[in-house]
Amino acid sequence: MKHSLMTKMILIIVAVGVIGFALISTVAASRIEKKLILSESRDMYREASSIAGDKSLLTLSSLNSTDGESDGIRNLYDSLCNVALYQDCEIWLISENGTVYLNTTRPLTESEKTVISDFDPVKLGADYYTVGNFFNYFDETHLSVMVPVASGMNIRGYVAIHASMSKIENQREMIVRQMDLICFIGYLVFIGVYVLFYFMVMHPMKKIMTGIHHYADGDLKYNIPVKSDDEMGSLASSLNYMSDEINKSGEYQKQFIANVSHDFRSPLTSMRGFLEAILDGTIPPENQEHYLKIVLGETERLTKLTNGILTLNTMDQKKNLLNITNFDINTVIRDTAETFEGICRPRQISIRLLLTGDELMVSADREKIQQVIYNLVDNAIKFSRDGSYIEIKSDLRHDRVFVSVKDHGVGIPSASINKIWDRFYKTDASRGREKKGNGLGLSIVKEIISQHKQNITVISTEGAGTEFVFSLDTPEDA
């Protein structure tokens, strides 16, 4: 049978309570009683030894004397009664044959003396005290101590002190009750600690486990309701953040597949239509070259889209792998601008270079930065008006190089500024298809600049144009 952690904790608390009170009632009570007997017997033995050493006992003619009215015996009796009253015990003077000559619990003038049958001090053993009924004299159990009264080498009698075990048992019960009370208070404290532990650890843990089950069932939008500032709250926050990120990743994958499917399906449908028309003769031979060029253009579009996806995938897998070298950014700008001459000429778009100095060195990955400039210029040409111009600038400010690409085209709507870095995002889908864009160029630019731990900003006004500015480090030895 499977038990929860809370059930196990409750069983442990109950077991601790039962075992604890059982040990107090048995083992602890027994040891306390032994300690009390040992302590009481030592006090009784010292008192008995003091009485046995009193010289007044030795001046008596004999312990067996029946002269109960002598002043010496009367004084001794009164003295022993006071001691017995103070010690809550009874004191005897016993002759060597077992006759009780003096008993503080009986009158001194009692005519008939008590005789202990089978009195044999040797039977008491080597210990200085004994627990029992003292040769079957007492009906109840007593703690007894006996010390001999000696004159020279002769034993004249014995001093015996008896204390009822009920007195020691009462002391034991009082101590045990105090221990029970202390343990009960400690037990309540232990339960209080468990209650705090439950509400601070177990209860939040149950909520976290509930959240984990939701995540396992695919409900990634579930939010674990733990808001504490301790480790449990931190764990819940981490799991909530993880679920949000996984959910975003899942949504991105769905959107990614939808976008890729759309951007592949459109040119493939167009290519298939033209090719089928050529094959079935719908398009006459004299027009086939025109449509084959369109098909070729669509294949170039698919190639570009595929390369963009592969580039982003490579960046995701190798985020920190940069080939950092020192190179002249002005040369890269000039070389890149020349590649667009064939595209710009038919539309009468000019590219103006406003470069700082003949040479401006930077420290970066040359190939990736060239791709950044290419993508920005390509994007500027797509959305520039015919007959306009594009400015590419390089500038050195505060030991950093800033490169800007500015067009005088249609601009970007303010609502779209924060979305242009998203993969497959297009400010105008229909226009994007016309311009053969795939929505990956600016995503690649953002990713490369982020890998270099640099910044890129965009300033755009609808109908006036757009400017992208990014920064690069200069060589340390420059």
Side-chain angles (χ1 to χ4, degrees), residues 73-363:
I73 293 177
R74 168 60 61 182
N75 292 336
L76 177 63
Y77 176 78
D78 291 341
S79 177
L80 294 180
C81 285
N82 290 331
V83 173
L85 180 64
Y86 178 76
Q87 296 286 348
D88 191 18
C89 61
E90 57 182 280
I91 302 175
W92 294 359
L93 295 181
I94 309 175
S95 67
E96 57 184 357
N97 61 5
T99 301
V100 180
Y101 171 70
L102 187 151
N103 186 339
T104 56
T105 61
R106 294 179 179 237
L108 181 64
T109 58
E110 187 178 41
S111 59
E112 184 178 352
K113 302 297 181 181
T114 302
V115 178
I116 305 299
S117 60
D118 300 326
F119 179 72
D120 185 3
V122 178
K123 292 182 178 180
L124 297 178
D127 294 333
Y128 60 86
Y129 72 90
T130 182
V131 177
N133 55 12
F134 199 72
F135 300 104
N136 299 318
Y137 176 80
F138 295 108
D139 294 331
E140 298 178 353
T141 304
H142 279 66
L143 171 64
S144 301
V145 172
M146 194 167 65
V147 177
V149 179
S151 176
M153 299 299 294
N154 298 320
I155 295 178
R156 303 282 301 279
Y158 299 92
V159 176
I161 299 179
H162 307 285
S164 174
M165 281 297 295
S166 61
K167 169 187 173 182
I168 294 176
E169 290 171 354
N170 290 335
Q171 292 179 344
R172 180 201 66 194
E173 291 302 318
M174 182 179 65
I175 296 174
V176 169
R177 283 195 297 270
Q178 292 176 346
M179 292 182 64
D180 285 338
L181 177 60
I182 294 173
C183 289
F184 181 71
I185 294 174
Y187 191 65
L188 292 179
V189 172
F190 183 69
I191 294 176
V193 171
Y194 169 74
V195 172
L196 289 176
F197 175 80
Y198 173 79
F199 283 103
M200 295 178 65
V201 178
M202 295 301 301
H203 191 58
M205 183 62 74
K206 290 178 66 176
K207 292 182 179 179
I208 291 174
M209 291 300 298
T210 300
I212 292 175
H213 289 311
H214 276 273
Y215 300 153
D217 293 337
D219 183 11
L220 296 175
K221 294 184 179 180
Y222 181 83
N223 192 276
I224 300 175
V226 178
K227 305 299 181 182
S228 58
D229 295 330
D230 54 13
E231 289 80 359
M232 287 298 169
S234 177
L235 177 59
S237 297
S238 298
L239 290 174
N240 288 334
Y241 175 77
M242 178 197 70
S243 64
D244 290 340
E245 292 300 312
I246 294 176
N247 187 49
K248 290 179 182 178
S249 177
E251 293 296 329
Y252 167 74
Q253 289 180 0
K254 293 178 182 178
Q255 183 182 5
F256 177 85
I257 293 173
N259 289 329
V260 170
S261 299
H262 177 272
D263 282 354
F264 270 90
R265 183 171 58 248
S266 296
L268 288 174
T269 301
S270 176
M271 293 165 60
R272 180 176 179 175
F274 289 135
L275 292 175
E276 288 179 346
I278 292 173
L279 290 175
D280 61 18
T282 302
I283 297 177
E286 61 272 14
N287 295 332
Q288 290 182 3
E289 181 179 357
H290 170 72
Y291 290 102
L292 287 175
K293 288 181 179 180
I294 295 176
V295 171
L296 181 61
E298 292 298 310
T299 60
E300 292 176 354
R301 178 183 171 187
L302 290 176
T303 301
K304 189 175 182 179
L305 175 61
T306 304
N307 291 335
I309 295 173
L310 293 175
T311 299
L312 287 173
N313 184 61
T314 302
M315 290 180 180
D316 289 338
Q317 295 178 355
K318 302 178 180 180
K319 288 195 172 183
N320 297 318
L321 297 181
L322 296 175
N323 182 23
I324 303 297
T325 59
N326 299 333
F327 61 92
D328 177 20
I329 189 65
N330 288 345
T331 299
V332 173
I333 293 173
R334 293 188 190 98
D335 293 342
T336 305
E338 290 178 358
T339 62
F340 289 97
E341 183 177 349
I343 300 176
C344 294
R345 185 181 297 112
R347 297 179 56 190
Q348 297 180 345
I349 297 175
S350 62
I351 298 179
R352 300 177 183 180
L353 304 182
L354 303 176
L355 308 179
T356 299
D358 294 333
E359 183 181 85
L360 186 58
M361 300 299 293
V362 296
S363 178

Side-chain angles (χ1 to χ4, degrees), residues 27-46:
V27 178
S30 176
R31 293 182 67 84
I32 290 171
E33 182 175 307
K34 288 181 179 180
K35 290 290 184 181
L36 291 173
I37 290 174
L38 185 62
S39 176
E40 185 72 13
S41 64
R42 285 175 178 174
D43 293 340
M44 292 167 60
Y45 184 81
R46 281 193 296 268

